[in-house]
């Protein structure tokens, strides 16, 4: 049973930093892309950043230059370093990983439970 467990959210003042972590476990054959998405109150879930298994990254324009995504393949873990945080970054942040559980099975997207990030002005 694949599980994604997130940590690192919290309350921070504008201009501050937070680091999110997400570890995948349970019957994993291979992890392809990993990423972070966020959902603010009353808004749709949106992409924040993604990273391929080869290390190529993609960022939403709103976070470019402030957020950095990275991963440790040996630990099946993805990180999101968030600097220069703004009140508009306030959201629930969800980890996503595209995972194959067997050589014979197709890949499938899995989601974490979400972690709250609140940036006060």
């Amino acid at each position: 049973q694949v599980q994604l467990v997130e940590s690192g959210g919290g309350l921070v003042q504008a201009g501050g930093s937070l680091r999110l972590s997400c570890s995948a476990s349970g019957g994993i054959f291979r992890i392809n892309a990993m990423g972070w998405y966020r959902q603010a109150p009353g808004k749709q879930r949106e992409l924040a950043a993604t990273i391929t298994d080869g290390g190529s990254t993609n960022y939403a324009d709103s976070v470019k230059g402030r957020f950095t995504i990275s991963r440790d393949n040996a630990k099946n873990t993805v990180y999101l370093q968030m600097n220069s945080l703004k009140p508009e970054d306030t959201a629930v942040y969800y980890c996503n990983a595209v995972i194959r559980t067997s050589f014979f099975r197709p890949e499938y997207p899995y989601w974490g439970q979400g972690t709250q990030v609140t940036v006060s002005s």
Side-chain angles (χ1 to χ4, degrees):
Q1 188 83 1
V2 174
Q3 280 191 314
L4 301 183
V5 179
E6 299 139 338
S7 62
L11 173 64
V12 65
Q13 288 188 331
S17 299
L18 283 175
R19 188 189 195 213
L20 306 182
S21 300
C22 171
S23 293
S25 62
I28 295 170
F29 172 72
R30 179 183 175 89
I31 301 178
N32 294 322
M34 303 183 82
W36 291 94
Y37 292 72
R38 64 186 186 180
Q39 187 167 16
K43 295 188 177 181
Q44 289 189 332
R45 190 174 298 187
E46 63 176 12
L47 178 148
T50 61
I51 184 168
T52 68
D53 55 350
S56 296
T57 59
N58 181 49
Y59 295 93
D61 288 342
S62 58
V63 309
K64 279 181 183 175
R66 301 186 298 120
F67 291 10
T68 302
I69 189 170
S70 61
R71 64 190 281 175
D72 185 332
N73 291 331
K75 295 181 179 180
N76 291 339
T77 299
V78 62
Y79 307 96
L80 187 67
Q81 177 66 43
M82 304 184 294
N83 298 328
S84 302
L85 283 160
K86 305 175 181 180
E88 50 263 44
D89 294 318
T90 295
V92 177
Y93 283 71
Y94 295 92
C95 173
N96 171 270
V98 180
I99 295 173
R100 292 179 72 181
T101 56
S102 163
F103 177 82
F104 303 101
R105 292 180 177 271
E107 60 187 26
Y108 186 83
Y110 291 85
W111 293 90
Q113 79 284 0
T115 185
Q116 177 70 46
V117 171
T118 302
V119 184
S120 63
S121 57

